[in-house]
Amino acid sequence: MLIRIYRCQAIASTPDDGRTFPLGAHTAGSPRLALRWLQLRARHIGDQLDPPAARPVLAWLHDDQAHEHALAALASGTPYTHTVYDDAIRYLLTARPIPRPYP
């Protein structure tokens, strides 16, 4: 029997030159805990952006339908990514299931 853990990451990247900057990583034990971590990181990112650039982050944080989609994808074993764009920086919030043998 396999159980899943969920590897979550927040990454900033500059598409013009291909540089990436890790903004945090976490391992969660369920799709819901993975989504909570993504939401927490999104809130931190949104807090650091100018108000116009933060609007997409805030919209996603209040989008229950998007959250249900993320939970369904993760529960089915599909990775989930949400991307936020701010001028020359792209923020990626990702969670991917990792199968582990049941001990």
Side-chain angles (χ1 to χ4, degrees):
M1 180 169 148
L2 289 178
I3 60 170
R4 290 187 181 122
I5 58 173
Y6 299 83
R7 180 72 177 152
C8 308
Q9 291 182 297
I11 299 169
S13 68
T14 51
D16 290 345
D17 60 14
R19 293 183 301 159
T20 61
F21 307 91
L23 302 176
H26 178 72
T27 301
S30 72
R32 189 161 306 280
L33 292 174
L35 179 60
R36 283 185 190 160
W37 187 86
L38 295 178
Q39 291 169 321
L40 178 65
R41 293 306 299 148
R43 186 168 309 284
H44 292 161
I45 291 167
D47 287 347
Q48 296 175 43
L49 298 173
D50 290 333
R55 282 189 195 117
V57 176
L58 296 174
W60 181 76
L61 285 170
H62 295 96
D63 188 342
D64 293 337
Q65 187 174 7
H67 301 160
E68 289 302 319
H69 170 73
L71 290 172
L74 292 169
S76 73
T78 303
Y80 175 79
T81 300
H82 180 71
T83 306
V84 176
Y85 299 91
D86 172 35
D87 295 328
I89 299 175
R90 181 174 53 203
Y91 300 92
L92 288 90
L93 300 165
T94 64
R96 59 184 166 88
I98 301 172
R100 270 184 19 178
Y102 187 74

